[in-house]
Amino acid sequence: MIEAPTSIRIDSESRIPKYQQIVNSIIEDIEKGSLSVGEKIPSINEISEEYYLSRDTVEKAYNLLKKKKIIVSVKGKGYYVARNVSQSQVKVLFLLNKLSNYKLRIYNSFVNSLGADAQVDLHIYHCDPKNLLNLLNENTGAYDYYVVMPHFKDDDLHHNNYNQDVIDALRKISPDKLIIMDNYMPDLGDEVASIYQDFKMDIYKALKEGQARLQKYDTLILVYPDNVIYPYPKEIKQGFKKFCVEYGLEFEIINTIYPEMELSPNDAYILIEENDLVNLMRQIRDEEYLLGEDVGVISYNDTPLKELLGITVMSTDFKVMGETAAYMIKKRKKEVVKNVFNFIDRGSI
């Protein structure tokens, strides 16, 4: 006899295939707490002998449970419960390219908007397409929805929007189950839901909105980090150059804010990284320049601290991005939406 906290319920009169009845029985036992994560379940042979089922039938059930990541097999030991399940919950795999304050704000907004009826599993793939491919392959068929932020880096730590292997892997996921966030992937077509930033035109339009204030400066300086672990989209530089050329403004692109910068009055800086913003603000203070009068500062991506300090920003709305993705899941929408991007003048230019 089987000595385990599960009881397979087989109805020989039912039209439900017996392998599916095994699957349903084990899931129900996990749901009601009879089986816990890490607990061993009966072997294929035990189920087969106890319930007079063919070994192939039981093996098919267990393979389906493994594919859904509900159970896991340990060589030489048997099968174990891998995770909690709830038939009523929507299961979402959320794949972030990096762990940053901004990305977590999107994730938190997404989770809060979905509510308690959803189980969201977060994984970070560190802008490495191989890591992303492994996560997609390992979780094939295990989730109701796959939310992916596709940002990649090459061997030279340059940002890439495109990776053919990732495109091929994403095409294997039903368009009804896939949501692309933050970066548009036109190769997937408009049948896949997408909430994205247009990095080139967003910065161009934001600078255009602040053009009247920026005209008083002699030079605009974009501080764009190169060769960083998590590279930034090159389209940011393209949008910056487009604005400066069209409006006849002198400009320079530098990698970072160096110690003891050659600060000059009538320069305006556009900064992406927080460390560069802090270092520049310290040097402006030490040189006793007036922010927004002698030296201008615009920061990329808003935070509560920048609002408190009165720093002018241009930023996508992270909360709206998360809410929009959650709305598409809840309403089963498949739309391609450019996310809100704002220029917020707080007087630092």
Side-chain angles (χ1 to χ4, degrees):
M1 297 291 291
I2 297 174
E3 295 181 4
T6 185
S7 57
I8 305 301
R9 293 165 289 283
I10 301 295
D11 181 357
S12 59
E13 302 298 322
S14 174
R15 296 296 182 266
I16 298 173
K18 290 182 174 58
Y19 77 87
Q20 187 64 53
Q21 293 187 50
I22 297 171
V23 169
N24 294 345
S25 295
I26 290 176
I27 288 176
E28 287 167 10
D29 284 343
I30 297 171
E31 281 189 305
K32 68 184 183 183
S34 298
L35 283 172
S36 304
V37 174
E39 195 158 11
K40 189 176 182 180
I41 64 172
S43 69
I44 291 175
N45 287 336
E46 287 175 324
I47 296 290
S48 175
E49 293 172 6
E50 179 73 14
Y51 296 96
Y52 304 103
L53 298 170
S54 73
R55 196 177 187 285
D56 288 345
T57 296
V58 184
E59 189 171 16
K60 185 173 183 179
Y62 275 35
N63 285 339
L64 183 58
L65 288 165
K66 286 202 299 182
K67 186 176 181 180
K68 291 179 177 290
K69 309 298 180 184
I70 294 171
I71 66 171
V72 63
S73 61
V74 179
K75 190 174 181 180
K77 293 186 177 181
Y79 295 88
Y80 296 82
V81 177
R83 65 179 176 89
N84 287 318
V85 293
S86 172
Q87 296 282 45
S88 61
Q89 281 190 321
V90 173
K91 300 176 184 64
V92 182
L93 180 62
F94 199 103
L95 297 172
L96 272 180
N97 63 299
K98 65 178 180 179
L99 195 61
S100 70
N101 174 57
Y102 310 113
K103 304 289 182 175
L104 285 178
R105 285 163 67 188
I106 296 171
Y107 170 76
N108 289 332
S109 173
F110 174 78
V111 171
N112 291 335
S113 297
L114 272 185
D117 292 334
Q119 172 193 316
V120 183
D121 293 339
L122 174 64
H123 288 271
I124 316 298
Y125 67 91
H126 303 290
C127 294
D128 186 335
K130 292 180 181 177
N131 288 343
L132 178 56
L133 288 168
N134 288 337
L135 286 166
L136 290 172
N137 291 332
E138 289 171 2
N139 292 283
T140 300
Y143 290 88
D144 300 306
Y145 289 94
Y146 297 80
V147 180
V148 183
M149 288 193 183
H151 292 279
F152 314 115
K153 61 184 177 183
D154 60 23
D155 293 338
D156 297 320
L157 297 181
H158 293 145
H159 182 274
N160 283 330
N161 292 325
Y162 182 87
N163 183 282
Q164 186 60 54
D165 291 335
V166 172
I167 293 288
D168 293 341
L170 292 175
R171 281 180 175 150
K172 295 177 182 177
I173 300 173
S174 168
D176 297 329
K177 295 185 174 186
L178 181 61
I179 296 179
I180 301 298
M181 292 187 72
D182 201 39
N183 197 15
Y184 184 45
M185 302 190 81
D187 291 67
L188 294 176
D190 293 341
E191 288 301 306
V192 173
S194 179
I195 310 96
Y196 68 96
Q197 296 188 64
D198 184 342
F199 294 97
K200 177 179 178 179
M201 294 309 296
D202 281 345
I203 188 172
Y204 168 79
K205 291 177 180 178
L207 292 172
K208 189 175 179 180
E209 191 173 339
Q211 181 260 340
R213 300 291 299 272
L214 291 169
Q215 287 285 2
K216 69 180 181 183
Y217 294 101
D218 295 334
T219 305
L220 300 188
I221 301 166
L222 173 65
V223 185
Y224 177 90
D226 276 322
N227 303 113
V228 289
I229 295 176
Y230 300 119
Y232 293 93
K234 57 184 176 295
E235 288 81 4
I236 293 175
K237 287 196 293 187
Q238 294 169 358
F240 171 75
K241 289 180 180 179
K242 175 178 171 65
F243 169 77
C244 294
V245 170
E246 286 191 11
Y247 284 89
L249 299 173
E250 293 292 326
F251 69 91
E252 184 178 359
I253 299 175
I254 62 177
N255 183 56
T256 188
I257 294 295
Y258 299 93
E260 301 178 4
M261 288 278 292
E262 297 290 335
L263 295 183
S264 297
N266 297 323
D267 284 348
Y269 289 81
I270 299 159
L271 306 110
I272 297 175
E273 289 209 329
E274 304 291 287
N275 287 341
D276 286 323
L277 175 62
V278 171
N279 291 336
L280 178 64
M281 294 294 288
R282 183 181 292 116
Q283 293 185 49
I284 290 173
R285 179 200 62 191
D286 292 345
E287 294 291 334
E288 298 184 351
Y289 286 134
L290 293 177
L291 185 65
E293 294 294 334
D294 299 320
V295 178
V297 170
I298 302 175
S299 185
Y300 197 86
N301 290 332
D302 198 13
T303 65
L305 184 58
K306 293 173 188 177
E307 180 180 6
L308 180 66
L309 296 176
I311 303 297
T312 296
V313 298
M314 45 189 173
S315 177
T316 198
D317 193 318
F318 303 105
K319 184 172 182 287
V320 168
M321 185 179 288
E323 290 173 344
T324 304
Y327 171 81
M328 289 186 179
I329 288 177
K330 292 166 81 171
K331 299 298 182 181
R332 299 186 179 181
K333 298 282 187 180
K334 288 195 296 182
E335 300 174 359
V336 177
V337 179
K338 192 183 95 61
N339 198 53
V340 177
F341 194 90
N342 297 311
F343 174 80
I344 306 173
D345 186 0
R346 297 185 178 129
S348 65
I349 59 168

